[in-house]
Amino acid sequence: MKSKLAGKIVIASHNPGKLREMRELLAPYGVEAVSAGELGLAEPEETGADFVANALIKARAAAEGSGLPALADDSGLCVEVLGGAPGVFSARWAGESKDFAAAMARVHSEVAKSGSPSRRAHFVSALAVAWPDGSEAVFEGKVFGDLTFPTRGTKGFGYDPCFTPDGHERTFGEMSAEEKHGIPADGSEALSHRARAFQMLARALLTASQAS
Ligand code: IMP
């Protein structure tokens, strides 16, 4: 069976960290990834109401601008008692200076203000693929857990130190990258929302026979 994602694709992100992670995930399938930044493509405004909508906006713009299949992701933290906030505003809660300590403090204070004892939250990652011919595919990975305050750990990024996934005692901030984002070789479910979305994408669009 031929993979629907093969050869050269564009990663619709200007974030070097995301680009590196995607390149590493795609390399074993023989997919070569260039970034929207390297191709000089403009970053579209993320005006979507949810993660899937924003990922599609980015993937469509990159496919149209490059003439290549494009992969985009959008992700964030959703807190139950805050009606899903910060959600698509997760990056924006950290402000221009990307101050995630302040963003987590805001989550803590808004949850406390709500008066609810619930600390339930989940991370979401939407991966969207758009082809120059207009076809599209989306995959959404989630991981559920509890907010943890005071925050713990220095290993991850963003909201990692304030989130403990179900079935675990440690926060994402206390886990190694491999434990959080790794794709298990035995085919069992990965832990992070992004790794879970990638597993779905790989099953649908990449073929194991391409793996080296
Ligand atoms: P975007 O996907 O670049 O729009 O940004 C999503 C934001 O959500 C990031 O800036 C992070 O703050 C947060 N986020 C998404 N995934 C994770 C994660 O795995 N750990 C911690 N924070 C995350």
Side-chain angles (χ1 to χ4, degrees):
M1 191 177 89
K2 195 170 177 332
S3 166
K4 287 170 93 193
L5 265 190
K8 194 164 167 181
I9 70 161
V10 56
I11 307 286
S13 172
H14 290 246
N15 176 329
K18 276 191 190 173
L19 181 66
R20 190 173 49 242
E21 189 181 318
M22 286 298 173
R23 274 194 173 130
E24 283 169 11
L25 287 167
L26 291 164
Y29 297 93
V31 175
E32 182 199 343
V34 293
S35 79
E38 285 161 351
L39 295 179
L41 303 175
E43 275 184 279
E45 232 189 300
E46 296 180 25
T47 53
D50 57 32
F51 299 106
V52 166
N54 278 338
L56 277 170
I57 287 171
K58 291 185 267 191
R60 283 181 193 133
E64 281 165 20
S66 66
L68 293 168
L71 170 62
D73 98 305
D74 200 56
S75 57
L77 176 72
C78 301
V79 177
E80 221 165 80
V81 296
L82 302 183
V88 291
F89 299 104
S90 293
R92 278 166 269 185
W93 275 30
E96 292 268 308
S97 59
K98 302 199 189 319
D99 184 350
F100 283 99
M104 289 188 284
R106 179 170 169 193
V107 170
H108 193 190
S109 89
E110 296 205 9
V111 166
K113 258 190 272 164
S114 77
S116 166
S118 167
R119 294 293 178 267
R120 296 297 291 161
H122 58 277
F123 276 113
V124 180
S125 167
L127 288 178
V129 181
W131 284 264
D133 69 2
S135 43
E136 297 171 343
V138 290
F139 307 93
E140 196 173 50
K142 293 184 184 177
V143 57
F144 288 81
D146 287 311
L147 293 172
T148 302
F149 293 108
T151 61
R152 295 198 312 258
T154 53
K155 285 192 179 127
F157 69 98
Y159 294 88
D160 279 341
C162 76
F163 181 83
T164 304
D166 288 345
H168 293 260
E169 300 288 325
R170 287 167 301 133
T171 69
F172 269 169
E174 295 174 298
M175 294 183 184
S176 67
E178 184 54 30
E179 184 175 6
K180 183 187 162 198
H181 293 301
I183 308 286
D186 65 1
S188 59
E189 191 177 44
L191 182 55
S192 87
H193 46 312
R194 200 167 297 100
R196 288 178 177 177
F198 185 80
Q199 280 182 315
M200 294 176 206
L201 179 148
R203 279 186 203 118
L205 300 180
L206 300 167
T207 50
S209 62
Q210 284 183 299
S212 51

